[in-house]
Amino acid sequence: MTQSIPFEQETEAPTGRAEALTPLVRRLIAPNGGPFTYRGTCSYIVGRGRVAIIDPGPDDATHVARLLEAVGGETVTHVVVTHTHRDHSPAAAAVRAATGALVVGCSPHVASRALALGEANALDASADHAYAPDVVLQEGEAVTGPQWTLQALATPGHTANHLAFALPEENTLFSGDHVMAWSTTIVAPPDGSMQAYMASLAKLRGREEAIYRPGHGGPVREPQRFLRALVHHRRQREAAILNRLAAGDETIAEIVPPLYEGLAPALYGAAGLSVFAHLEDLVARGLVVSDSAPTLTARYRPA
C-alpha cells in the first residue's frame, strides 16, 4: 500500500453493542472481522424514534438480535443497503421480517460486465444474490425521517450497484466500501470496475461532506485529502504495472510478486484481482493490448 494514503486504524472498536457517534448516528459492528472486513461490518442506525438502519450486515442471528435490541422501542422505517456483498446486505431480510421496514437502496446484484468466454467470476460466492429490495433508489433520491435525510449517490466500482448515502443534517457521507479509512477498496472484475471506481472517486471530489462513515473501520476525517491520496495511489499502481509490462512481464502471475514485494504468497490471489482490474482499464483506454478479452489468465503487452 502506498504510504501517502493517510490510513487510520481503529485501536478500539467495540463489537456487540451500539455506540452513539453523533446525536443522529449510532454504530453497531458485526462479529465478522477478518482480513477483508477489518473489525467487522459497520451497521449504522440513523435517527431517533423513527430510524433507518444502513447495511444491516451478514446473515448472523446474533448481530440481527443486537441490532433489534439497539432499536428497541423505536420504529425502523427503512433498511438501507449500499451494495450486495454477503457482509453487508443479507441481514436485510431478517430485519424487514422483524420490523416491517422497507428495504431500500441499491439494486439486486449485477456484475459490471458479462463474463468473457471461458472466464469464471472469482468472487461470485461473496455476492448476495438473494437480496430483494422493496425500492431501488436512483441517483439523488432520498428517504427521510424526523430530522434526517439519506440521499442516494451512485458510486459504482467496488460493485456495479454500489451506492453511498449523504446525511446533509450532519454533513456526512456513508461511503460503504467505496472509501474506507483503514484500507484501499477491493476492485475485482467482473463484479467491480476500475474505470467506474476512478470515476466515482472523481465524483466525490466535487462534494463537500466533512466526514465519511464507511462500511468497515472508523471515519474518514479529511475526505478530500484522502480522496486525492487514493487517486494518486491508483495512478502509481497503474504506472508500476506498465513498467512491468515494458520489462517483459506478460501475465498477472508474473506481475504480482515484484509489484507487491514482501506480500505473503497467500495474498497473491487478491493482489492479482487488483492488477487485473487495472489491466482491464488500461486495455479499454488503449494503453495495453491482450491476446484475448482481458481475463485473469490472458497475456498482456504495451500497446
Side-chain angles (χ1 to χ4, degrees):
M1 293 177 181
T2 304
Q3 292 300 308
S4 60
I5 302 177
F7 290 124
E8 287 189 33
Q9 308 300 318
E10 274 197 309
T11 54
E12 294 184 13
T15 58
R17 62 177 176 83
E19 55 176 336
L21 303 178
T22 72
L24 281 178
V25 178
R26 289 165 277 173
R27 179 179 71 159
L28 179 64
I29 301 174
N32 64 334
F36 300 111
T37 55
Y38 194 44
R39 310 290 188 193
T41 303
C42 296
S43 297
Y44 294 99
I45 302 165
V46 178
R48 296 282 177 175
R50 294 179 63 81
V51 306
I53 296 175
I54 299 175
D55 282 353
D59 183 14
D60 182 291
T62 298
H63 181 61
V64 170
R66 288 168 175 167
L67 267 177
L68 296 175
E69 181 183 1
V71 297
E74 300 179 283
T75 299
V76 182
T77 60
H78 299 87
V79 178
V80 181
V81 178
T82 62
H83 66 292
T84 44
H85 276 159
R86 295 178 68 84
D87 53 330
H88 285 262
S89 58
V95 176
R96 173 169 53 192
T99 66
L102 288 175
V103 174
V104 306
C106 68
S107 70
H109 193 76
V110 62
S112 291
R113 61 164 174 79
L115 289 171
L117 183 65
E119 182 184 18
N121 184 345
L123 293 182
D124 189 59
S126 69
D128 177 14
H129 293 286
Y131 167 77
D134 296 298
V135 179
V136 174
L137 294 179
Q138 305 298 327
E139 174 81 13
E141 292 183 336
V143 293
T144 62
Q147 299 183 333
W148 59 264
T149 306
L150 291 172
Q151 185 176 45
L153 179 70
T155 47
H158 176 62
T159 59
N161 64 352
H162 197 287
L163 297 176
F165 292 93
L167 176 65
E169 290 84 355
E170 292 191 343
N171 201 21
T172 293
L173 186 75
F174 294 95
S175 54
D177 282 4
H178 181 52
V179 178
M180 299 178 289
W182 75 283
S183 177
T184 54
T185 296
I186 294 173
V187 180
D191 278 3
S193 162
M194 186 61 67
Q195 186 176 56
Y197 170 76
M198 296 299 288
S200 293
L201 289 181
K203 182 178 185 177
L204 294 189
R205 294 284 299 275
R207 297 184 64 88
E208 297 181 355
E209 284 86 7
I211 191 168
Y212 291 0
R213 299 202 179 275
H216 306 274
V220 178
R221 300 180 190 280
E222 296 182 76
Q224 291 304 314
R225 175 184 174 222
F226 200 85
L227 290 168
R228 288 193 298 271
L230 287 177
V231 171
H232 179 66
H233 164 78
R234 294 294 183 175
R235 292 307 181 208
Q236 281 189 322
R237 181 71 73 214
E238 178 182 284
I241 291 169
L242 289 171
N243 286 340
R244 293 311 311 167
L245 294 176
D249 291 349
E250 294 185 340
T251 67
I252 290 171
E254 291 171 330
I255 291 169
V256 166
L259 204 64
Y260 292 85
E261 230 175 296
L263 185 70
L267 296 177
Y268 280 178
L273 289 171
S274 179
V275 171
F276 176 30
H278 277 288
L279 285 167
E280 183 179 80
D281 180 41
L282 288 165
V283 169
R285 290 157 55 197
L287 298 174
V288 169
V289 295
S290 57
D291 64 351
S292 63
T295 65
L296 278 166
T297 56
R299 306 188 78 84
Y300 300 89
R301 60 179 174 80

